[in-house]
Amino acid sequence: KDILPLRKSLGLENKKVILYVGSLQKVKGIEYAIDAMKFLAKEANYQLLIVGGGDEEDNLKQRVKDYRLEDCITFTGHRPASEIPDYVLASDVVLVPSLSETFGSHVMHYAWALRRPVIVTAVGDVPRMANDRQTALFIPPKSAEAIAESVCEISSDPQLANNLVENAYHEAKKYSV
C-alpha cells in the first residue's frame, strides 16, 4: 500500500517516524517517549507521531511545548481503528512504552503483521508474547534513555531491524490481527 500520501499530509517525508498508538493516559508511558525526543531530536531527523486521545492529552502537549519539541512531535488525536494500519505502515518503528499491559499490546500485533519493528516495555503479558531481540526490543518502563537508545539501534542496524520484522511477522500469524 502506498503510504506516501499519509506521510506527506502529516509532513513526515524524509523523517524517521516513531509511532505511538493508544490512549493518552499516564499508564501508557507516553511522557517517556516525549522525553526521549529530547535526545533523538539532536541525533537525526526523528519524528514522534502520537495517534490517540485521552485524559493526558493537554498535559502531554504542554510537555512538548515546554521542551520546545513541537517540530519533532505530531499529535493526530483519536483516529478510527480502520486507519491504524495506515499509520503503522507510515512508520519506521512502533513504540509501546506502557507501564502496564494486562493482555499484551494490540498495536504490537499490528506492527508485527505489517512488518514494522517494535520497541516495547517488558511488562504484563508482553514477555510471554514477545521475545527480546527476536520479535521486539524490550525496554524497562519509565526510561526515556532506553527508548532513545533502542530507536537509534534499530535505525543504525538494518540487519537487527530486518530480523525483528521477519521473526515477528511469523509470530503474528499465531494471532488474529
Side-chain angles (χ1 to χ4, degrees):
K1 185 171 181 173
D2 181 15
I3 49 83
L4 195 56
L6 178 59
R7 283 183 79 114
K8 189 173 185 174
S9 72
L10 294 170
L12 302 176
E13 313 100 324
N14 306 314
K15 302 270 187 172
K16 295 177 184 174
V17 179
I18 306 156
L19 176 66
Y20 167 83
V21 176
S23 61
L24 304 185
Q25 299 174 357
K26 277 263 187 213
V27 72
K28 295 298 184 176
I30 308 130
E31 69 231 47
Y32 302 102
I34 292 169
D35 293 354
M37 291 304 293
K38 291 189 294 186
F39 304 109
L40 293 170
K42 298 173 192 171
E43 293 292 321
N45 209 12
Y46 290 107
Q47 186 78 22
L48 176 61
L49 181 58
I50 300 174
V51 178
D55 301 347
E56 287 295 307
E57 187 168 354
D58 291 340
N59 293 336
L60 294 168
K61 285 180 176 178
Q62 186 60 52
R63 188 182 202 96
V64 169
K65 195 174 191 176
D66 291 347
Y67 292 156
R68 295 187 173 102
L69 293 172
E70 298 97 324
D71 291 343
C72 61
I73 299 177
T74 303
F75 288 85
T76 68
H78 176 77
R79 307 304 313 152
S82 62
E83 293 181 17
I84 300 308
D86 293 338
Y87 284 92
V88 172
L89 286 169
S91 72
D92 295 294
V93 63
V94 174
L95 176 63
V96 185
S98 298
L99 308 183
S100 173
E101 282 289 342
T102 307
F103 300 110
S105 168
H106 295 295
V107 175
M108 179 176 73
H109 294 127
Y110 272 118
W112 286 358
L114 296 171
R115 297 178 181 255
R116 292 298 181 266
V118 175
I119 299 168
V120 63
T121 47
V123 297
D125 286 339
V126 169
R128 288 189 313 113
M129 301 172 127
N131 293 305
D132 188 25
R133 306 193 72 76
Q134 296 296 311
T135 57
L137 286 187
F138 285 6
I139 55 171
K142 300 182 180 181
S143 178
E145 269 186 49
I147 292 170
E149 288 169 4
S150 295
V151 167
C152 289
E153 185 175 10
I154 286 175
S155 293
S156 66
D157 188 344
Q159 186 63 49
L160 171 64
N162 187 57
N163 289 344
L164 290 172
V165 165
E166 290 307 312
N167 292 335
Y169 180 72
H170 293 293
E171 187 68 20
K173 292 178 183 179
K174 298 178 183 177
Y175 302 95
S176 62
V177 176

